[in-house]
């Protein structure tokens, strides 16, 4: 059972997230937690029908553990809202399961720059970060430096030259940072930072789960969770998929 005690967001972590636009937490998941997640991912890619209906769509099955995992929640409470009831899981929209020779191009820079769109807006106001769409990536296999995973142009979530960031999109432009990590690591970043997947150049496959979270008053993706997946969730996890509304009406 995962502890629900949240370790306070450290000052250093807060400053780094604001400065660079991403945080990496190494080896967050234990071997016991990783095993069922990896097994589910293998079946989703190779034999989806062998899974029960509730586990054929993410974040059903073993992946539901990650919806409100404490290492994620302690960050979301600082950059989206302090109240869990006002956090929304927009989707577990993607399973990256690929090999180095499967034809995936692996380099697709996108996003970056200031935006007034509430889905992508990143702001700092009255001593608090407000991150719109916040990406949460779980790397289930290890990632070697410059051999795969996700890369960033640090600080671009606050850039004033949003439409000119593509000037630096070449992989050898010298300003990209890539992440290496152990299995079970956690990567969190606002959609507003310019980022890309990288060509996978390792023997073991990349196996990564991509979530995104935002505030209860905004939605980006159209929900497409099947009833079987939703009904199998514990009540405290179902609330992360509530319909969008503005919390100012809670007091009325």
């Amino acid at each position: 059972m995962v502890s629900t005690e949240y370790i306070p967001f450290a000052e250093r972590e807060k400053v780094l997230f604001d400065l660079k636009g991403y945080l990496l937490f190494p080896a967050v998941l234990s071997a016991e937690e990783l095993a069922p997640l990896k097994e589910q991912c293998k079946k989703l890619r190779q034999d989806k029908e062998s899974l029960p209906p509730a586990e054929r769509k993410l974040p059903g099955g073993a992946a539901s553990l990650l919806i409100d995992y404490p290492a994620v929640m302690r960050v979301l409470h600082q950059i989206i809202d302090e109240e869990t009831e006002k956090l929304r899981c927009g989707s577990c929209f993607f399973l990256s399961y690929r090999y180095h020779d499967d034809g995936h191009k692996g380099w697709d820079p996108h996003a970056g720059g200031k935006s007034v769109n509430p889905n992508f807006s990143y702001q700092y106001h009255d001593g608090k970060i407000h991150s719109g769409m916040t990406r949460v990536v779980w790397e289930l296999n290890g990632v070697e430096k410059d051999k795969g995973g996700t890369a960033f142009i640090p600080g671009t979530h606050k850039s004033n030259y949003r439409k000119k960031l593509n000037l630096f999109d070449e992989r050898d432009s010298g300003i990209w940072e890539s992440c290496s990590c152990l299995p079970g690591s956690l990567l969190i970043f606002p959609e507003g930072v310019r980022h890309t997947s990288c060509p996978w150049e390792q023997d073991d496959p990349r196996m990564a789960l991509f979530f995104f979270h935002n505030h209860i008053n905004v939605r980006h993706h159209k929900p497409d969770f099947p009833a079987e997946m939703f009904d199998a969730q514990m009540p405290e996890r179902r609330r992360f998929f509530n319909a969008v509304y503005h919390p100012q009406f809670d007091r009325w």
Side-chain angles (χ1 to χ4, degrees), residues 20-240:
K20 287 196 167 189
Y22 69 91
L23 283 175
L24 176 67
F25 301 92
V28 171
L29 298 174
S30 68
E32 292 74 19
E33 291 168 328
L34 273 171
L37 286 166
K38 295 177 74 169
E39 182 64 22
Q40 182 187 15
C41 290
K42 288 177 182 177
K43 289 183 177 180
L44 283 171
R45 189 178 194 271
Q46 300 170 0
D47 187 14
K48 183 184 291 189
E49 299 304 312
S50 68
L51 290 167
E55 300 180 16
R56 296 175 190 171
K57 179 73 175 181
L58 296 170
S64 63
L65 170 77
L66 307 177
I67 294 170
D68 57 351
Y69 200 89
V72 174
M73 296 299 292
R74 64 184 288 266
V75 179
L76 300 185
H77 279 160
Q78 292 292 324
I79 65 176
I80 296 181
D81 201 288
E82 295 174 357
E83 299 181 44
T84 300
E85 291 73 15
K86 294 175 184 175
L87 300 177
R88 192 167 183 279
C89 181
S91 182
C92 179
F93 71 103
F94 188 52
L95 163 64
S96 179
Y97 194 127
R98 56 190 173 92
Y99 293 86
H100 64 85
D101 57 353
D102 64 3
H104 188 278
K105 65 178 181 178
W107 189 263
D108 182 27
H110 56 284
K114 291 182 179 178
S115 172
V116 296
N117 185 321
N119 274 299
F120 308 119
S121 175
Y122 181 93
Q123 303 178 48
Y124 180 87
H125 182 68
D126 284 349
K128 181 170 172 53
I129 292 170
H130 299 271
S131 176
M133 184 188 295
T134 300
R135 299 290 188 188
V136 172
V137 182
W138 291 95
E139 294 286 357
L140 306 187
N141 281 337
V143 180
E144 298 177 36
K145 188 167 179 59
D146 297 326
K147 290 189 176 183
T150 304
F152 303 93
I153 302 181
T156 46
H157 55 307
K158 299 184 290 184
S159 173
N160 293 301
Y161 293 98
R162 181 166 59 91
K163 295 184 177 180
K164 296 184 179 181
L165 292 174
N166 59 5
L167 294 171
F168 306 98
D169 278 354
E170 293 298 321
R171 192 178 180 185
D172 60 357
S173 63
I175 62 174
W176 287 91
E177 288 188 6
S178 63
C179 297
S180 61
C181 62
L182 296 168
S185 293
L186 168 65
L187 181 64
I188 300 181
F189 59 94
E191 179 67 16
V193 67
R194 196 155 185 83
H195 58 282
T196 181
S197 59
C198 301
W200 191 254
E201 300 169 355
Q202 300 177 209
D203 292 332
D204 290 333
R206 186 186 191 194
M207 195 182 295
L209 292 171
F210 287 71
F211 287 72
F212 90 77
H213 295 263
N214 52 16
H215 196 273
I216 192 65
N217 67 359
V218 66
R219 188 186 81 189
H220 183 69
H221 292 295
K222 184 178 180 179
D224 62 347
F225 301 113
E228 295 91 343
M229 189 284 292
F230 186 78
D231 292 343
Q233 298 297 325
M234 296 185 295
E236 56 266 35
R237 287 179 178 151
R238 291 180 194 171
R239 68 187 178 194
F240 286 93

